[in-house]
Amino acid sequence: MNISEANRVRLLYFFTFFCQAACVPRYAEYLEGKGFSGFQLGFILSLTPILMFLIQPIVGYIADKFGHKKTLLFGALLAGVFFLGHLLQGGFYYIAFVTVMMSLFFNTTQPIIDSLALQ
C-alpha cells in the first residue's frame, strides 16, 4: 500500500499532536505525585517552552545542513529515549535534566514537520 507524501505529513502531524495530548496534560500531576514543591514544579514545567524558544533557530540550521528527514528521525529517537528516562526514579535535578534533554530533541520535531509540509 503506497501512502502519498501529503498523507505521510498528515500522519506525522497526527502522531506528534497525539503524543503531546497524551503526555503534556498529565505531566504536572506526575510531578506533583513525586512530591515536588510548587517552585520546583513551575521550574520544570517552564523548561520546555524556554528551550523551544532557544532551540528552534538552531534546529533550522541543522535541518538545512543535514536534511529534514534525518534531523527529524534523530530528534524523535532521542526525545523518545529521554522521555523514557522519566520512568526511572530520580529527584528534582534528575527530572530537570531529563526534561531538558527530552525538550531539546522533542522541540525539534514540530518545526521540521512544518517545514516538510511546506515543501
Side-chain angles (χ1 to χ4, degrees):
M1 179 173 135
N2 288 335
I3 299 175
S4 71
E5 196 67 32
N7 284 335
R8 287 181 188 171
V9 173
R10 288 181 183 117
L11 284 172
L12 281 172
Y13 271 114
F14 173 77
F15 285 118
T16 299
F17 288 113
F18 180 78
C19 290
Q20 288 177 346
C23 300
V24 172
R26 299 285 184 211
Y27 192 51
E29 293 175 11
Y30 168 76
L31 295 174
E32 282 179 343
K34 290 185 125 336
F36 291 137
S37 69
F39 175 79
Q40 291 172 326
L41 188 73
F43 179 80
I44 291 173
L45 291 175
S46 70
L47 289 172
T48 299
I50 290 169
L51 289 170
M52 184 182 300
F53 175 73
L54 297 174
I55 196 70
Q56 287 184 355
I58 298 167
V59 170
Y61 173 76
I62 292 170
D64 287 341
K65 186 171 183 164
F66 295 107
H68 292 86
K69 291 180 183 179
K70 286 181 185 178
T71 308
L72 178 64
L73 289 174
F74 182 74
L77 176 69
L78 288 178
V81 167
F82 283 109
F83 183 76
L84 291 174
H86 285 95
L87 298 176
L88 301 174
Q89 295 299 319
F92 170 71
Y93 294 109
Y94 172 77
I95 294 295
F97 172 76
V98 170
T99 302
V100 165
M101 297 306 292
M102 181 197 66
S103 295
L104 282 176
F105 296 107
F106 184 72
N107 288 335
T108 65
T109 58
Q110 189 62 44
I112 294 174
I113 292 172
D114 291 341
S115 182
L116 286 172
L118 294 172
Q119 286 182 352

